[in-house]
Amino acid sequence: MSANASVATAVAPAQDRERGHRSRVAAGYFLFATLILALTVYGFDYYTLGAGDRPSSPKYLALKPSGTIGLKLGYLGLTMFLIISCTPS
């Protein structure tokens, strides 16, 4: 009888950890999809321009790789890599 109780106790925390992991993964996917959709809507006219015409666009300073949005996306990518590499497996 006590063996069954110890097995049930040992399984419950693993299920809680997996549920937490799945919710974090789902939240990450939702955040990623929202970010991609927002950038697509905001920068569609900029990204459809040719490479030579982009510097004359009013969105150039924000959307170029070294612009305000480009740098923030780079920092976000770096943070994601650090989280992945520091997470114990």
Side-chain angles (χ1 to χ4, degrees):
M1 186 78 129
S2 64
N4 290 338
S6 64
V7 170
T9 306
V11 173
Q15 289 174 348
D16 289 341
R17 279 185 269 143
E18 187 164 334
R19 186 181 314 143
H21 174 72
R22 286 184 181 178
S23 64
R24 286 189 301 272
V25 168
Y29 279 129
F30 178 75
L31 178 66
F32 176 73
T34 304
L35 180 65
I36 293 298
L37 181 64
L39 281 174
T40 301
V41 169
Y42 177 72
F44 183 77
D45 57 341
Y46 174 77
Y47 291 119
T48 55
L49 291 173
D53 296 330
R54 286 184 184 179
S56 61
S57 172
K59 296 180 181 179
Y60 178 72
L61 292 175
L63 294 176
K64 67 180 183 173
S66 61
T68 54
I69 294 175
L71 285 174
K72 289 176 184 170
L73 288 174
Y75 294 146
L76 176 66
L78 175 66
T79 303
M80 290 168 59
F81 279 119
L82 290 174
I83 289 171
I84 290 170
S85 66
C86 295
T87 304
S89 53

